[in-house]
Amino acid sequence: MRDSPVAGPGRRLLVTGGAGFIGSCFVREILGRRDGTRVTVLDKLTYAGNRANLAAIETDPEQASRFRFVHGDIAAPDVVGPLVAEADAVVNFAAETHVDRSILEPEAFLATGVVGVHVLLEACRAEAADGGLRPAPRLVQVSTDEVYGSVANGHARETDPLAPRSPYSAAKAAGDLLVGSYFATFGLDVVITRGSNTYGPFQHPEKLIPLFLTNALDDQPLPLYGDGLQRRDWLYVADHALAVEHVLIHGAAGEIYNIPGDTERTNREVVGLLLEELGKPWSLVRQVEDRPGHDWRYAMDGARLQALGWRNRTDFREGLASTVAWFRDNEPWWRACKSGDWTAYYDRQYGSRLANGLLVAELAAGDDVSSR
Ligand code: NAD
Ligand code: DAU
């Protein structure tokens, strides 16, 4: 474990992107422990950022006393500099995160994923150069399995070459490379995590599971891309968030840690399980035009994180059941996400796809939901 106060009571964390899906889970988990940790969230509140995700903290006087929210952009040095200066560690969740949106409008992905990460690194470098008594903050860059590209066979290791294929994953890969370069060149205390497909409460309903879940609750069609046999590895959000904290505390400087979910499924399998959990029929599913450049499979090796002592806790069926229960119980939350600009986005993304969509036969032979 490091000597600097990334683990002990009284540590001060700067959590960027902390009003989003995984970042807010990280903040709720850590502040909910009531161990004295102080958290500042810096968030731009894009369409994906939501103060409501932090409401449980802001309405609890003890947690609220250790919490501060700053509305701002990680690409703004004047905002970032003073916040980094007072932090023991920076955990960067901030990013544009939806692959489909990166195909429609890539610019914001580069602004946050590349320029924003660079601004965070420069702020950490300024602290390291300061030569004060306090060590410069550790930076955890929260990255993704998508940087490895589509993995035909086996499982990607941290040492594998990067092969991103969407503007989203290319921006994330560029961020990772910048972070690595600041370790090699300036000796900054940085670590990178690469998580797999994450699901759970508070996920914006643009992503597969919450989109299909909320559409199905409204008996609306479920737009399955292509043949639906693409494979993803599903990770429950609290496991992802706590694995990031584990790496913050125990990870070696300059290292990368994969966070697999150990739950590889085809999209058809996921949709089948979700509909079963909801008690909704497969006839809602439409086969629609595929995502351009759609990665067929993601899969990562988790040995390095396991060696650090980490184990995921949530089984996929249990995680899916609690996700469905949460969305059933929190309808105003997801209806608000699906209002305003949502209609124009949905129309642009799915309008012509759904107009030409086909009914899909239920699970193909050999596509066994009980496998793995
Ligand atoms: P999200 O889209 O739910 O939240 C992203 C948050 O970042 C939002 O609150 C948004 O307002 C904020 N943000 C965006 N640009 C910003 C900027 N310039 N400055 C400050 N804040 C900004 O994302 P998520 O799903 O919680 O993902 C969090 C991180 O985890 C991302 O870096 C993503 O690449 C990574 N990741 C996500 C998954 C997944 O399946 N969701 C898997 C692996 C890795
Ligand atoms: O793997 C980690 C990544 O997982 C994260 O880095 C990204 O931020 C996160 O968005 C997610 O990316 P994916 O593209 O894998 O997730 P998404 O939920 O968009 O899609 C999951 C799969 O479902 C993918 O094969 C595309 C398919 N899909 C998705 C949508 C939204 C559909 O078939 N129909 C849809 O409408």
Side-chain angles (χ1 to χ4, degrees), residues 16-23 42-50 72-75 92-98 111-112 141-145 168 172 194-199 202-204 206-207 240:
T16 52
F21 166 49
I22 309 170
L42 170 64
D43 198 294
K44 190 177 171 183
L45 295 179
T46 67
Y47 75 93
N50 192 343
D73 190 335
I74 62 161
N92 180 34
F93 291 95
E96 291 290 336
T97 60
H98 193 31
T112 299
Q141 166 67 2
V142 179
S143 187
T144 169
D145 59 1
Y168 163 68
K172 292 297 291 187
R194 292 188 178 143
S196 64
N197 271 71
T198 306
Y199 70 101
F202 294 99
Q203 186 168 31
H204 193 283
E206 65 189 355
K207 307 284 168 43
H240 191 159

